Amino acid sequence: MKYLILDYLEATAARLPQKVAFTDECGAIAFGDLVRLSRAVGSALCKHVAPRTTVGFYMDKSVQTVAGFFGAVYAGCAYSQLNLRHPAVRIKAILDTLASPVVVTDRAHEQALREMDVPGEILILEDLLESEIDESALARVRRQMLDIDPLYVNFTSGSTGAPKGVVIGHRSVIDFITCFTEIFGITEKDVIANQAPFDFDVSVKDIFSGLFTGATVAIVPTAYFTQPTKLMDFICEHETTVLIWAVSALCFLTTMNALAYKCPEKLRTIMFSGEVMPIKHLLKLQKYLPDTTYVNLYGPTEITCNCTYYVVDRPYEVGEALPIGIPFPNERVILLDENDKEVVEAGGVGELCVSGTALALGYFGDPAKTAQVFIQNPLNKSCQETIYRTGDLVRL
């Protein structure tokens, strides 16, 4: 029985030890090596942090960053990626909230982090990667881990601009990614081009779809999203088959006429989320890639990436709205009116609410805010059933 993320990582590594797991502009790492390096990082972190601590990571996304993330998980911890582009005051606020005794960075960003005078000891990832594996320490941590333990914490600004840490557990990612990869047929033969920053939950679908199935995740350099020719060269050279991107990133392709320069011949599926896809941009994508499947994904960070999906199954015209589709398996989506009554009539409008295993564990260190939106389902009078109130109004 696989109930931890590490079980899936190790199963894939045992099946495909030499297969490239992640690649970036500087190199690549196979699944077998990813496990080895992650266990080395985990062994070192065990000496600094207790299980169920959240470890902050301050560095660019890379192959080594992924090994750092899973090293934190081997230490029984959650990881939280810090955005390098955020001001120092926000970085410090997040680290103050996490209250971790350590923060991990690399040598390229060590000085910048030290100048912020952040709380906690600063550990250097390159040193952690060279640590000796302590089998007994890893085994001791592993024995007490549960599927409800936190896996990662993503900080969103919310409407107030204050950092708000969404805590996602192992079982939620397992529940969602298992369904996600099956529905969209992601396998070890796929190459997923990662666009999203690692502090944005769109990247969760990239990282864990690869980990679960053996697909290769090609980490696109952030700078390429201002250089359309380099971006298309990257996608084509890596023989990318799947894009799971934010709408804004796809609109960059169409706005810059990148597909007129080069079309990725092996691209079979494009999924998008984060905002409404403008129909004129979708039409342009379909013009250049008519045989590609397009999927509209919807859902906030608090329900582990997405709760609904819509496979675009007909041509749309400018002025039409794409549906957000149907719920993923094991997720219940309901619409509540202003009186907390269920909206069941076609055309009716209500607040979209979600229940299921994929729900977050709440907001880090903020039980009051958690209680405001993770509530008892008012339609369930017989037993406890938590729903998340998205705040989004939708039409049935």
Side-chain angles (χ1 to χ4, degrees), residues 333-358:
V333 171
I334 58 175
L335 273 60
L336 296 179
D337 65 17
E338 62 274 12
N339 298 312
D340 281 348
K341 303 297 183 184
E342 186 173 10
V343 175
V344 295
E345 297 290 336
V349 175
E351 181 184 2
L352 190 145
C353 302
V354 189
S355 69
T357 301

mmCIF file of all heavy atoms in Angstrom, residues 333-358:
data_model
loop_
_atom_site.group_PDB
_atom_site.id
_atom_site.type_symbol
_atom_site.label_atom_id
_atom_site.label_comp_id
_atom_site.label_asym_id
_atom_site.label_seq_id
_atom_site.Cartn_x
_atom_site.Cartn_y
_atom_site.Cartn_z
ATOM 1 N N VAL A 333 -18.542 18.758 -5.916
ATOM 2 C CA VAL A 333 -18.698 20.182 -6.163
ATOM 3 C C VAL A 333 -20.175 20.540 -6.022
ATOM 4 O O VAL A 333 -21.036 19.924 -6.654
ATOM 5 C CB VAL A 333 -18.201 20.558 -7.573
ATOM 6 C CG1 VAL A 333 -18.567 21.997 -7.913
ATOM 7 C CG2 VAL A 333 -16.691 20.378 -7.653
ATOM 8 N N ILE A 334 -20.456 21.512 -5.166
ATOM 9 C CA ILE A 334 -21.834 21.950 -4.972
ATOM 10 C C ILE A 334 -21.886 23.471 -5.086
ATOM 11 O O ILE A 334 -20.899 24.159 -4.853
ATOM 12 C CB ILE A 334 -22.402 21.505 -3.602
ATOM 13 C CG1 ILE A 334 -21.530 22.045 -2.451
ATOM 14 C CG2 ILE A 334 -22.524 19.995 -3.528
ATOM 15 C CD1 ILE A 334 -22.095 21.753 -1.072
ATOM 16 N N LEU A 335 -23.058 23.958 -5.471
ATOM 17 C CA LEU A 335 -23.296 25.397 -5.535
ATOM 18 C C LEU A 335 -24.255 25.772 -4.422
ATOM 19 O O LEU A 335 -25.323 25.156 -4.278
ATOM 20 C CB LEU A 335 -23.904 25.789 -6.885
ATOM 21 C CG LEU A 335 -22.932 26.085 -8.038
ATOM 22 C CD1 LEU A 335 -22.073 24.870 -8.341
ATOM 23 C CD2 LEU A 335 -23.711 26.502 -9.282
ATOM 24 N N LEU A 336 -23.888 26.764 -3.614
ATOM 25 C CA LEU A 336 -24.741 27.224 -2.527
ATOM 26 C C LEU A 336 -25.194 28.656 -2.797
ATOM 27 O O LEU A 336 -24.388 29.509 -3.200
ATOM 28 C CB LEU A 336 -23.987 27.179 -1.193
ATOM 29 C CG LEU A 336 -23.551 25.793 -0.682
ATOM 30 C CD1 LEU A 336 -22.790 25.940 0.626
ATOM 31 C CD2 LEU A 336 -24.742 24.863 -0.521
ATOM 32 N N ASP A 337 -26.488 28.913 -2.549
ATOM 33 C CA ASP A 337 -26.986 30.276 -2.707
ATOM 34 C C ASP A 337 -26.708 31.076 -1.428
ATOM 35 O O ASP A 337 -26.038 30.599 -0.501
ATOM 36 C CB ASP A 337 -28.473 30.295 -3.081
ATOM 37 C CG ASP A 337 -29.379 29.734 -1.977
ATOM 38 O OD1 ASP A 337 -28.928 29.631 -0.810
ATOM 39 O OD2 ASP A 337 -30.539 29.409 -2.273
ATOM 40 N N GLU A 338 -27.223 32.306 -1.371
ATOM 41 C CA GLU A 338 -26.926 33.183 -0.233
ATOM 42 C C GLU A 338 -27.502 32.664 1.080
ATOM 43 O O GLU A 338 -27.111 33.099 2.166
ATOM 44 C CB GLU A 338 -27.440 34.604 -0.507
ATOM 45 C CG GLU A 338 -28.932 34.706 -0.705
ATOM 46 C CD GLU A 338 -29.369 34.455 -2.137
ATOM 47 O OE1 GLU A 338 -28.541 33.983 -2.950
ATOM 48 O OE2 GLU A 338 -30.543 34.734 -2.462
ATOM 49 N N ASN A 339 -28.419 31.698 0.997
ATOM 50 C CA ASN A 339 -29.010 31.090 2.199
ATOM 51 C C ASN A 339 -28.442 29.704 2.482
ATOM 52 O O ASN A 339 -29.007 28.949 3.284
ATOM 53 C CB ASN A 339 -30.530 31.008 2.045
ATOM 54 C CG ASN A 339 -31.164 32.380 1.897
ATOM 55 O OD1 ASN A 339 -30.873 33.294 2.670
ATOM 56 N ND2 ASN A 339 -32.030 32.543 0.899
ATOM 57 N N ASP A 340 -27.342 29.371 1.825
ATOM 58 C CA ASP A 340 -26.698 28.066 1.960
ATOM 59 C C ASP A 340 -27.602 26.921 1.526
ATOM 60 O O ASP A 340 -27.492 25.796 2.021
ATOM 61 C CB ASP A 340 -26.202 27.840 3.397
ATOM 62 C CG ASP A 340 -24.891 28.558 3.670
ATOM 63 O OD1 ASP A 340 -24.266 29.031 2.703
ATOM 64 O OD2 ASP A 340 -24.496 28.654 4.849
ATOM 65 N N LYS A 341 -28.489 27.200 0.572
ATOM 66 C CA LYS A 341 -29.286 26.162 -0.057
ATOM 67 C C LYS A 341 -28.636 25.777 -1.380
ATOM 68 O O LYS A 341 -28.044 26.620 -2.060
ATOM 69 C CB LYS A 341 -30.718 26.648 -0.313
ATOM 70 C CG LYS A 341 -31.444 27.123 0.944
ATOM 71 C CD LYS A 341 -31.619 26.004 1.954
ATOM 72 C CE LYS A 341 -32.409 26.486 3.172
ATOM 73 N NZ LYS A 341 -32.519 25.423 4.216
ATOM 74 N N GLU A 342 -28.768 24.506 -1.752
ATOM 75 C CA GLU A 342 -28.100 24.046 -2.965
ATOM 76 C C GLU A 342 -28.802 24.560 -4.215
ATOM 77 O O GLU A 342 -30.030 24.514 -4.320
ATOM 78 C CB GLU A 342 -28.034 22.519 -3.005
ATOM 79 C CG GLU A 342 -27.223 21.992 -4.183
ATOM 80 C CD GLU A 342 -27.023 20.496 -4.141
ATOM 81 O OE1 GLU A 342 -27.663 19.818 -3.315
ATOM 82 O OE2 GLU A 342 -26.204 19.999 -4.939
ATOM 83 N N VAL A 343 -28.008 25.031 -5.163
ATOM 84 C CA VAL A 343 -28.530 25.461 -6.466
ATOM 85 C C VAL A 343 -28.561 24.238 -7.379
ATOM 86 O O VAL A 343 -27.523 23.611 -7.619
ATOM 87 C CB VAL A 343 -27.632 26.557 -7.076
ATOM 88 C CG1 VAL A 343 -28.097 26.923 -8.483
ATOM 89 C CG2 VAL A 343 -27.606 27.784 -6.175
ATOM 90 N N VAL A 344 -29.751 23.889 -7.851
ATOM 91 C CA VAL A 344 -29.884 22.680 -8.677
ATOM 92 C C VAL A 344 -30.500 22.963 -10.039
ATOM 93 O O VAL A 344 -30.474 22.101 -10.922
ATOM 94 C CB VAL A 344 -30.731 21.611 -7.945
ATOM 95 C CG1 VAL A 344 -30.007 21.126 -6.693
ATOM 96 C CG2 VAL A 344 -32.116 22.138 -7.589
ATOM 97 N N GLU A 345 -31.061 24.163 -10.228
ATOM 98 C CA GLU A 345 -31.697 24.484 -11.504
ATOM 99 C C GLU A 345 -30.648 24.912 -12.523
ATOM 100 O O GLU A 345 -29.755 25.704 -12.219
ATOM 101 C CB GLU A 345 -32.715 25.609 -11.318
ATOM 102 C CG GLU A 345 -33.883 25.260 -10.408
ATOM 103 C CD GLU A 345 -34.814 24.249 -11.050
ATOM 104 O OE1 GLU A 345 -34.837 24.177 -12.293
ATOM 105 O OE2 GLU A 345 -35.516 23.532 -10.305
ATOM 106 N N ALA A 346 -30.761 24.428 -13.739
ATOM 107 C CA ALA A 346 -29.870 24.862 -14.812
ATOM 108 C C ALA A 346 -29.976 26.374 -14.982
ATOM 109 O O ALA A 346 -31.071 26.931 -15.005
ATOM 110 C CB ALA A 346 -30.228 24.157 -16.114
ATOM 111 N N GLY A 347 -28.830 27.022 -15.065
ATOM 112 C CA GLY A 347 -28.801 28.481 -15.184
ATOM 113 C C GLY A 347 -28.716 29.195 -13.851
ATOM 114 O O GLY A 347 -28.489 30.403 -13.807
ATOM 115 N N GLY A 348 -28.920 28.454 -12.760
ATOM 116 C CA GLY A 348 -28.837 29.051 -11.431
ATOM 117 C C GLY A 348 -27.403 29.427 -11.073
ATOM 118 O O GLY A 348 -26.443 28.803 -11.535
ATOM 119 N N VAL A 349 -27.263 30.450 -10.251
ATOM 120 C CA VAL A 349 -25.934 30.943 -9.847
ATOM 121 C C VAL A 349 -25.736 30.705 -8.356
ATOM 122 O O VAL A 349 -26.642 30.931 -7.546
ATOM 123 C CB VAL A 349 -25.786 32.448 -10.165
ATOM 124 C CG1 VAL A 349 -24.459 32.982 -9.626
ATOM 125 C CG2 VAL A 349 -25.880 32.679 -11.672
ATOM 126 N N GLY A 350 -24.555 30.235 -7.980
ATOM 127 C CA GLY A 350 -24.234 30.022 -6.571
ATOM 128 C C GLY A 350 -22.736 30.024 -6.343
ATOM 129 O O GLY A 350 -21.949 30.019 -7.302
ATOM 130 N N GLU A 351 -22.348 30.032 -5.067
ATOM 131 C CA GLU A 351 -20.927 29.948 -4.728
ATOM 132 C C GLU A 351 -20.462 28.508 -4.861
ATOM 133 O O GLU A 351 -21.069 27.585 -4.309
ATOM 134 C CB GLU A 351 -20.687 30.427 -3.302
ATOM 135 C CG GLU A 351 -19.215 30.374 -2.896
ATOM 136 C CD GLU A 351 -18.966 30.757 -1.453
ATOM 137 O OE1 GLU A 351 -19.962 31.032 -0.730
ATOM 138 O OE2 GLU A 351 -17.798 30.774 -1.036
ATOM 139 N N LEU A 352 -19.360 28.307 -5.577
ATOM 140 C CA LEU A 352 -18.836 26.958 -5.768
ATOM 141 C C LEU A 352 -18.106 26.517 -4.509
ATOM 142 O O LEU A 352 -17.223 27.215 -4.011
ATOM 143 C CB LEU A 352 -17.897 26.923 -6.975
ATOM 144 C CG LEU A 352 -17.461 25.535 -7.432
ATOM 145 C CD1 LEU A 352 -17.313 25.494 -8.950
ATOM 146 C CD2 LEU A 352 -16.157 25.110 -6.772
ATOM 147 N N CYS A 353 -18.503 25.354 -3.993
ATOM 148 C CA CYS A 353 -17.898 24.772 -2.791
ATOM 149 C C CYS A 353 -17.473 23.349 -3.108
ATOM 150 O O CYS A 353 -18.091 22.670 -3.928
ATOM 151 C CB CYS A 353 -18.877 24.784 -1.624
ATOM 152 S SG CYS A 353 -19.498 26.431 -1.200
ATOM 153 N N VAL A 354 -16.419 22.890 -2.431
ATOM 154 C CA VAL A 354 -15.819 21.601 -2.766
ATOM 155 C C VAL A 354 -15.575 20.786 -1.502
ATOM 156 O O VAL A 354 -15.166 21.321 -0.469
ATOM 157 C CB VAL A 354 -14.464 21.795 -3.490
ATOM 158 C CG1 VAL A 354 -13.954 20.466 -4.040
ATOM 159 C CG2 VAL A 354 -14.584 22.818 -4.610
ATOM 160 N N SER A 355 -15.821 19.486 -1.595
ATOM 161 C CA SER A 355 -15.413 18.577 -0.529
ATOM 162 C C SER A 355 -14.686 17.397 -1.141
ATOM 163 O O SER A 355 -14.789 17.131 -2.331
ATOM 164 C CB SER A 355 -16.627 18.092 0.287
ATOM 165 O OG SER A 355 -17.443 17.226 -0.482
ATOM 166 N N GLY A 356 -13.926 16.689 -0.305
ATOM 167 C CA GLY A 356 -13.173 15.537 -0.784
ATOM 168 C C GLY A 356 -11.791 15.479 -0.160
ATOM 169 O O GLY A 356 -11.342 16.408 0.523
ATOM 170 N N THR A 357 -11.103 14.382 -0.421
ATOM 171 C CA THR A 357 -9.774 14.159 0.147
ATOM 172 C C THR A 357 -8.768 15.200 -0.318
ATOM 173 O O THR A 357 -7.772 15.468 0.362
ATOM 174 C CB THR A 357 -9.281 12.747 -0.248
ATOM 175 O OG1 THR A 357 -10.217 11.781 0.236
ATOM 176 C CG2 THR A 357 -7.917 12.425 0.338
ATOM 177 N N ALA A 358 -8.989 15.798 -1.478
ATOM 178 C CA ALA A 358 -8.030 16.754 -2.039
ATOM 179 C C ALA A 358 -8.010 18.099 -1.316
ATOM 180 O O ALA A 358 -7.146 18.934 -1.598
ATOM 181 C CB ALA A 358 -8.320 16.971 -3.523
#
